[in-house]
């Protein structure tokens, strides 16, 4: 692992318990214009889980304490009761096709995240996948925390164990087989991220609006790589929130995800970044995640600030 990344791991990797909730609410109250928080759940046929996630965020982070200002579910064309369940649980629900109708929507998670910037107002935007089980508010408070307490931090990803059925640490197959090798070989500064493809992360709007968004599953890799080159490694961080349980995809779906991620990387490789023949992986030890380094035998939406409707909305 690069020495720069080793130093980064000690400075920019935290646990959700490192910042108590009272510390976050105090920081938020100090300047609510700068620290307003929007939570966005992209959802497609997630009626079984979206309601519980919304309910936890509302109860723990909007009613018990004032940490989150708005909670929005973006429905990307569900055919089940996702929208009704989310609305009943207390979220504002917006259909993907109702946002920026002059540009026909494309299928894909990144498309929904990109459009969400037009219907939210928080200076911090926190994304949470809508298929999580046994959801904890730590996924939100943990990732938002560093942004509220450190103005130098711009982008924070959650890190966690991902069990596969009864097997601990076997989830995240596309991460281990595709994303981690790509990052280690071509963007070794990002080798310290435990969950580079995780769907739970918080970002300052001022950064998000400057980044292009891959419309599909490559969005997490694309945003992370482009954030690195826009604001630098020290502006990025990660927070341990424990365990993430969610609906797992079958092999064919994983193959499609892998192809989209590879294509996203391929587009960025034309910039000529460093190739380094080493791979860093992570194991959980007694004191947290431990890096293990081994020798090894690339369609997007433009930055949102270039969209006229977004510019007009923020000029008003």
């Amino acid at each position: 692992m690069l020495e720069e990344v080793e130093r980064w791991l000690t400075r920019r990797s935290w646990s959700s318990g490192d910042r108590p909730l009272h510390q976050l609410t105090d920081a938020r109250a100090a300047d609510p214009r700068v620290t307003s928080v929007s939570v966005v759940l992209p959802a497609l046929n997630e009626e079984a889980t979206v309601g519980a996630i919304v309910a936890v965020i509302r109860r723990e982070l909007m009613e018990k304490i004032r940490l989150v200002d708005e909670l929005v579910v973006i429905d990307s064309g569900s055919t089940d009761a996702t929208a009704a369940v989310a609305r009943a649980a207390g979220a504002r629900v917006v259909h993907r096709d109702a946002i920026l109708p002059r540009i026909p929507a494309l299928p894909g998670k990144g498309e929904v995240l990109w459009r969400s910037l037009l219907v939210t107002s928080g200076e911090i935007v926190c994304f949470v996948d809508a298929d999580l089980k046994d959801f904890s508010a730590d996924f939100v408070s943990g990732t938002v925390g560093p942004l509220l307490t450190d103005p130098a931090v711009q982008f924070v990803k959650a890190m966690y164990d991902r069990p596969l059925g009864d097997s601990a640490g076997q989830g995240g197959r596309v991460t281990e087989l595709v994303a981690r090798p790509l990052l280690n070989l071509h963007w070794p500064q990002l080798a310290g991220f435990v969950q580079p493809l995780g769907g739970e992360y918080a970002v300052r709007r001022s950064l998000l609006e400057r980044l292009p968004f891959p419309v599909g599953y490559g969005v997490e890799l694309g945003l992370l790589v482009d954030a690195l080159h826009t604001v630098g490694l020290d502006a990025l961080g990660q927070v341990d929130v424990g365990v993430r349980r969610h609906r797992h995809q079958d092999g064919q779906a994983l193959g499609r995800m892998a192809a989209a991620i590879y294509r996203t990387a391929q587009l960025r490789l034309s910039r000529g970044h460093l190739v380094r023949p080493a791979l860093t992986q992570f194991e959980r030890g007694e004191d947290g995640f431990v890096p293990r380094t081994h020798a090894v035998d690339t369609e997007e939406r433009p930055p949102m600030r270039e969209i006229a409707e977004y510019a007009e909305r923020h000029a008003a």
Side-chain angles (χ1 to χ4, degrees):
M1 181 177 289
L2 297 175
E3 290 185 8
E4 177 186 7
V5 178
E6 292 180 347
R7 291 193 300 270
W8 176 84
L9 278 169
T10 65
R11 298 185 62 251
R12 291 293 190 241
S13 292
W14 303 284
S15 168
S16 58
D18 290 341
R19 294 174 175 82
L21 288 176
H22 69 81
Q23 180 182 355
L24 302 186
T25 54
D26 288 348
R28 187 192 176 285
D31 193 346
R33 295 170 301 171
V34 175
T35 57
S36 57
V37 177
S38 299
V39 176
V40 172
L41 277 68
L44 177 63
N45 295 329
E46 302 294 356
E47 65 178 4
T49 50
V50 68
I53 298 171
V54 168
V56 168
I57 295 171
R58 281 205 64 87
R59 182 180 66 249
E60 301 297 328
L61 302 179
M62 300 179 79
E63 296 170 359
K64 287 186 178 180
I65 63 170
R66 182 69 180 277
L67 187 68
V68 171
D69 297 276
E70 62 178 349
L71 174 55
V72 182
V73 170
I74 310 293
D75 183 5
S76 57
S78 298
T79 57
D80 66 2
T82 290
V85 169
R87 193 174 290 112
R92 177 162 62 97
V93 179
V94 183
H95 196 284
R96 172 199 64 194
D97 295 347
I99 307 169
L100 199 62
R102 74 172 176 85
I103 299 178
L106 297 171
K109 179 183 180 182
E111 178 83 355
V112 174
L113 301 185
W114 182 70
R115 289 174 185 263
S116 76
L117 298 182
L118 271 163
V119 293
T120 55
S121 58
E123 292 306 312
I124 295 171
V125 182
C126 178
F127 297 120
V128 176
D129 281 350
D131 66 342
L132 302 187
K133 303 173 183 177
D134 304 323
F135 178 76
S136 166
D138 287 349
F139 280 81
V140 174
S141 59
T143 55
V144 166
L147 298 171
L148 292 174
T149 57
D150 188 342
V153 178
Q154 298 276 321
F155 188 124
V156 179
K157 293 204 69 118
M159 56 178 168
Y160 33 65
D161 290 312
R162 295 184 65 179
L164 180 61
D166 295 329
S167 300
Q170 297 301 309
R173 291 161 288 173
V174 176
T175 293
E176 298 302 329
L177 296 176
V178 181
R180 201 178 306 287
L182 282 171
L183 292 175
N184 276 259
L185 292 170
H186 299 291
W187 298 281
Q189 286 179 298
L190 297 175
F193 277 92
V194 175
Q195 297 292 351
L197 299 185
E200 292 71 45
Y201 48 104
V203 193
R204 296 193 191 279
R205 177 178 295 272
S206 57
L207 173 58
L208 280 176
E209 66 187 13
R210 298 162 63 189
L211 302 179
F213 276 62
V215 300
Y217 285 117
V219 63
E220 270 82 31
L221 183 94
L223 290 177
L224 190 59
V225 169
D226 291 341
L228 171 69
H229 293 290
T230 303
V231 295
L233 181 61
D234 199 53
L236 314 181
Q238 60 185 349
V239 174
D240 188 350
V241 297
V243 179
R244 183 187 197 267
R245 302 181 189 277
H246 66 116
R247 172 175 46 82
H248 291 283
Q249 304 280 358
D250 61 28
Q252 288 189 334
L254 294 179
R256 293 190 292 272
M257 292 180 193
I261 290 162
Y262 179 80
R263 176 57 176 162
T264 299
Q266 183 185 43
L267 290 172
R268 284 154 178 78
L269 289 176
S270 62
R271 302 169 184 167
H273 297 307
L274 173 67
V275 175
R276 179 172 178 262
L279 172 70
T280 299
Q281 297 176 313
F282 291 85
E283 300 172 6
R284 184 181 280 281
E286 293 182 358
D287 298 319
F289 288 98
V290 179
R292 308 291 188 195
T293 300
H294 309 270
V296 173
D297 288 335
T298 173
E299 178 85 29
E300 296 188 4
R301 293 302 192 187
M304 183 56 77
R305 67 179 184 178
E306 297 178 9
I307 300 300
E309 290 89 337
Y310 185 83
E312 292 169 1
R313 178 173 179 267
H314 282 263

